[in-house]
Amino acid sequence: MATDVAVELSPADGYVAWTQRAKALAREPGTSGIGVRMALLATYTTDFLAELLPLAGARAGLTPELLEFPFGQVEQVLLAPQTPFREGDYVVLAGTHHDVTGTVDETVNRWVGLWDAAARSGVRVVQLGFAPPAVDAYGPAAWRAPQSLSYRVREINARLAEHAAGRVLFVDVEQLAAQVGLRQWEDPRSWYRVRQPYAADSLPWLAAAIADTVAADRGRSARCVVVDLDGTLWGGILGDDGIDGIRVGTGPDGEPFADFQRYLRALTERGVLLAVASKNDRDLALRAIAEAPGMVLRVEDFTHIVADWRPKSEQLQEISDKIRLGLSSFVFVDDNPAECAQVVAAHPEVRALCLPASAAKFATELAALPWLHPGSLSSEDFTRQRSYQALAAAERTATDNLDEFLAGLEMVATIEPINSTTLDRAAQLIAKTNQFNLTTRRHTQTQVRKMAEDPQWFAATLRLRDRFADHGIVGVLLAEAVGDAGGAVEIDTLLLSCRVIGRNAEDNLLAAAAEWALAQGSSRLVGRYLPTARNALVRDLYPGHGFVLEAESEQGSVFGYDLSGGAPARSPHVREAQMQHGY
Amino acid sequence: MATDVMEQLLELFAEVVGEPAAHGPDTVRADMDTWDSLAQVRLVYAVERAFAVELPESTLTSEPSLADIAAAVAAARQERVS
């Protein structure tokens, strides 16, 4: 359902289409998305926007529950000691250029101050930027007139975005308005009638942007784009036309394919993986990618290339196994509707885009979907591509002897307490990690920060590099000292990014947690395994590390480790850069 | 012509407000709780879109009946033609 809505409905379809669809959705509520509770606090009437949010949420893979408040009550609601907004996961904050009466500083301080109030309540902020006015007395000279409203609005947006980095989510409304066109974006009649500044047709853009941002924050963004070759990366059919006959790079039927490739390459630069699933002769396909004149993407840009005659569903399964990413984090892009249908029938969790006839529209179509929203980019996003390629390289050099292989990787780990620079990434891993995740508890960023600040909690990240790549932060362990001194320390969360599964780096995380527990005077370390559809991989992790099964129920298994003999051993193949975890 | 407008208007009304107009063309806002000020704005959005006209602000600020709105639509169309 969610996938269909995403493909079938775009913000450009307009208010009428969206309200009709929203009503249909309200009649048949599908609750397959991630549940999020959202408050909407604005200086304008949000009823019309709120009406579209469940649909925008469904499109992005969320099931939003809205907490509603009267308009104009931003401070009153946020600063009141007892308000139901505190029960929300997110609060959307929004103003309009009508509020910008004073200086840039005053407006920026107003909203940033509200972020602090929301943070104290443990609610994550989604700040909407401001749209510039459609009419400015300074006209086209506004850009060099700091006293003009347009100039101040842009300045406010830039400053809010800068403050937001690593702290709150920011929606660039200025850019949305630019896409639609400022004169179409505003509706002064609606402003005077009901204090709703936007044109009806702008509301789907806003609703979608909010939902897509929250969905990305909840780890819904796809991480790998799998493309077809013939008709997708180039025009023509390689098997029939030959390397010289396919069209890419030049001419009106070749340039659009090259530009689509440029868009895909830009995605890889911010951490999205690319792979190929193609029905082609493998050698010919590899040669075409490497040698066809006009190709932008090169063989190295792909994490994995499958070209053979199996059904595409099997090709995707191979890619998934090779790069250790679940199919639900895949986007499949193909110009052939039959192939898209085959993949989705076999793997309903794969998000599939069937391309339109004109290659000139490929990038626009893919970019309009909520699936590749970057969320808050962390530096790890920029290194991910290299890291997965290193994974493939490492596997190629693997020998039959696992110990020898691990020793040959020359791994260095850094385990340190979660701090302000690593909080974003830790929260991202907690939101996204499925396979190597003992409990799959989805704590919000605010909750993680609270744990990191609480002396009763051990909250650490693991950074790992080897001789092929720096993988960045790839592991998280959260544990809480429960009971009195001398009691137990219970591991709430233990996870590893799939990039580094099989490296035994978890040994070092467990050892660090155990040492912390010993320093607390604890005698026991407790671990829990809560099975999900995806984490069978770690079912035997605790027994494999000397933990003893203590209880087992429908909800999972509880294991205990007696610390009287010291901490469990570190991996002999992972050197710790410095014992800087400070615990 | 005018009856066409009225028919389509009644359809739009039922869709936007969620139930049919209580007294047909003679319905006014006071007759129905569901016809609140936001529903009024939604109705005007829908009417302006469906008939490709712009209604005068008085349609919103006064308390028109559906017949009044239909008349405003017809007048706006007339203006566009002339």
Side-chain angles (χ1 to χ4, degrees):
Chain A
M1 165 72 187
T3 301
D4 290 344
V5 183
V7 178
E8 289 163 16
L9 190 72
S10 133
D13 293 333
Y15 183 72
V16 172
W18 275 64
T19 43
Q20 280 164 0
R21 201 72 190 248
K23 276 180 196 153
L25 180 77
R27 280 195 296 270
E28 34 150 327
T31 49
S32 58
I34 304 171
V36 289
R37 285 164 303 170
M38 297 168 75
L40 207 51
L41 293 181
T43 59
Y44 54 84
T45 310
T46 51
D47 301 62
F48 303 93
L49 178 60
E51 194 177 44
L52 303 183
L53 276 174
L55 176 61
R59 194 175 167 270
L62 301 176
T63 306
E65 179 198 329
L66 291 179
L67 309 171
E68 305 211 36
F69 300 94
F71 94 90
Q73 305 276 301
V74 180
E75 274 82 1
Q76 293 89 320
V77 172
L78 262 180
L79 302 174
Q82 292 290 329
T83 62
F85 113 88
R86 286 157 193 267
E87 290 155 21
D89 303 308
Y90 293 87
V91 58
V92 180
L93 296 179
T96 98
H97 63 73
H98 301 89
D99 313 331
V100 182
T101 47
T103 63
V104 167
D105 277 341
E106 281 165 359
T107 305
V108 171
N109 290 343
R110 173 183 186 189
W111 296 98
V112 172
L114 291 169
W115 300 353
D116 295 334
R120 281 195 296 275
S121 309
V123 180
R124 190 140 162 82
V125 171
V126 181
Q127 175 72 48
L128 303 192
F130 288 63
V135 179
D136 190 304
Y138 285 81
W143 67 273
R144 56 184 161 85
Q147 58 277 63
S148 77
L149 186 52
S150 309
Y151 191 105
R152 282 182 291 153
V153 164
R154 290 199 189 103
E155 192 67 24
I156 287 163
N157 284 332
R159 299 257 301 273
L160 285 177
E162 193 188 320
H163 284 298
R167 185 169 172 201
V168 310
L169 300 165
F170 182 78
V171 175
D172 188 353
V173 174
E174 190 179 333
Q175 203 229 8
L176 291 178
Q179 291 198 27
V180 174
L182 264 193
R183 281 187 49 173
Q184 273 76 47
W185 182 257
E186 280 196 357
D187 182 359
R189 297 174 81 212
S190 171
W191 174 251
Y192 298 123
R193 284 169 182 175
V194 277
R195 283 290 180 267
Q196 196 286 107
Y198 302 116
D201 287 338
S202 304
L203 297 173
W205 291 87
L206 272 176
I210 294 167
D212 298 355
T213 302
V214 170
D217 192 53
R218 279 297 161 102
R220 277 289 301 167
S221 301
R223 286 185 275 170
C224 180
V225 176
V226 182
V227 290
D228 170 45
L229 294 175
D230 294 334
T232 299
L233 290 193
W234 53 64
I237 296 166
L238 179 62
D240 297 341
D241 306 332
I243 291 178
D244 298 331
I246 58 174
R247 292 178 298 283
V248 57
T250 52
D253 53 350
E255 277 182 35
F257 288 102
D259 276 333
F260 184 48
Q261 292 193 20
R262 278 185 197 97
Y263 171 73
L264 294 171
R265 197 183 54 194
L267 289 180
T268 70
E269 283 162 8
R270 42 157 260 229
V272 176
L273 306 177
L274 268 189
V276 168
S278 165
K279 286 185 177 163
N280 255 309
D281 176 82
R282 179 173 171 83
D283 291 339
L284 184 62
L286 288 174
R287 265 184 52 219
I289 294 170
E291 295 168 18
M295 281 291 292
V296 173
L297 290 167
R298 295 176 310 174
V299 174
E300 311 84 87
D301 291 316
F302 298 98
T303 307
H304 195 61
I305 296 175
V306 181
D308 52 36
W309 305 102
R310 288 177 298 161
K312 294 233 172 172
S313 59
E314 288 178 29
Q315 298 185 336
L316 260 77
Q317 189 64 57
E318 179 186 321
I319 296 167
S320 168
D321 296 341
K322 270 280 185 285
I323 66 176
R324 296 188 192 141
L325 269 183
L327 286 162
S328 61
S329 41
F330 279 39
V331 169
F332 175 64
V333 179
D334 199 310
D335 63 310
N336 184 337
E339 300 289 15
C340 291
Q342 195 272 328
V343 165
V344 174
H347 307 300
E349 68 272 41
V350 172
R351 288 170 269 187
L353 171 67
C354 188
L355 291 167
S358 167
K361 295 182 182 167
F362 287 2
T364 324
E365 291 274 324
L366 184 52
L369 295 167
W371 305 334
L372 294 168
H373 194 293
S376 52
L377 289 167
S378 63
S379 56
E380 271 72 17
D381 289 311
F382 297 100
T383 59
R384 190 183 306 146
Q385 169 86 2
R386 262 208 325 280
S387 178
Y388 275 95
Q389 260 136 22
L391 174 74
E395 283 195 339
R396 280 195 291 274
T397 63
T399 59
D400 289 341
N401 183 322
L402 182 65
D403 265 342
E404 219 171 277
F405 162 65
L406 291 173
L409 288 173
E410 297 167 20
M411 289 180 282
V412 182
T414 308
I415 295 172
E416 54 180 345
I418 293 173
N419 58 44
S420 59
T421 60
T422 56
L423 177 63
D424 258 1
R425 172 60 176 167
Q428 191 186 44
L429 281 169
I430 289 166
K432 287 183 175 177
T433 309
N434 294 311
Q435 292 184 71
F436 196 113
N437 194 337
L438 274 299
T439 51
T440 319
R441 291 176 177 155
R442 306 296 194 193
H443 303 296
T444 65
Q445 193 188 45
T446 314
Q447 289 165 337
V448 178
R449 200 189 53 226
K450 280 188 180 154
M451 292 172 192
E453 287 166 356
D454 186 339
Q456 289 294 101
W457 281 82
F458 173 89
T461 53
L462 166 83
R463 170 184 288 274
L464 193 70
R465 62 186 160 81
D466 59 35
R467 69 187 171 95
F468 296 104
D470 184 349
H471 302 278
I473 289 166
V474 286
V476 174
L477 194 151
L478 306 172
E480 183 185 17
V482 289
D484 302 329
V489 165
E490 178 165 347
I491 300 170
D492 172 275
T493 294
L494 170 56
L495 61 81
L496 281 185
S497 158
C498 26
R499 283 187 252 177
V500 296
I501 293 174
R503 305 291 195 86
N504 297 352
E506 64 273 22
D507 299 6
N508 294 55
L509 266 175
L510 278 171
E515 280 160 15
W516 179 80
L518 282 166
Q520 301 291 304
S522 296
S523 56
R524 235 157 55 85
L525 195 55
V526 176
R528 221 172 259 277
Y529 168 68
L530 305 178
T532 69
R534 307 279 299 283
N535 72 349
L537 176 75
V538 289
R539 192 179 48 216
D540 300 322
L541 181 124
Y542 285 123
H545 285 80
F547 285 66
V548 179
L549 181 66
E550 294 180 345
E552 200 161 19
S553 73
E554 290 278 289
Q555 280 82 43
S557 322
V558 180
F559 301 90
Y561 187 91
D562 179 6
L563 288 168
S564 59
R570 293 189 149 70
S571 161
H573 306 304
V574 183
R575 187 165 62 81
E576 265 175 58
Q578 43 187 317
M579 306 296 272
Q580 58 175 296
H581 38 82
Y583 287 120
Chain B
M1 165 77 189
T3 47
D4 279 0
V5 170
M6 198 60 233
E7 253 172 50
Q8 210 179 329
L9 182 60
L10 286 168
E11 242 171 69
L12 280 174
F13 182 91
E15 201 186 301
V16 170
V17 177
E19 54 182 322
H23 308 299
D26 297 328
T27 313
V28 292
R29 271 181 57 183
D31 295 338
M32 297 177 72
D33 291 341
T34 44
W35 189 357
D36 59 13
S37 62
L38 292 177
Q40 170 81 347
V41 173
R42 289 193 176 98
L43 182 64
V44 172
Y45 274 149
V47 169
E48 292 192 337
R49 182 62 60 98
F51 295 100
V53 293
E54 231 178 64
L55 296 177
E57 294 306 308
S58 58
T59 327
L60 281 154
T61 46
S62 65
E63 299 270 307
S65 65
L66 285 180
D68 296 333
I69 295 178
V73 169
R77 280 183 153 183
Q78 197 60 41
E79 214 168 283
R80 206 180 46 190
V81 174
S82 59

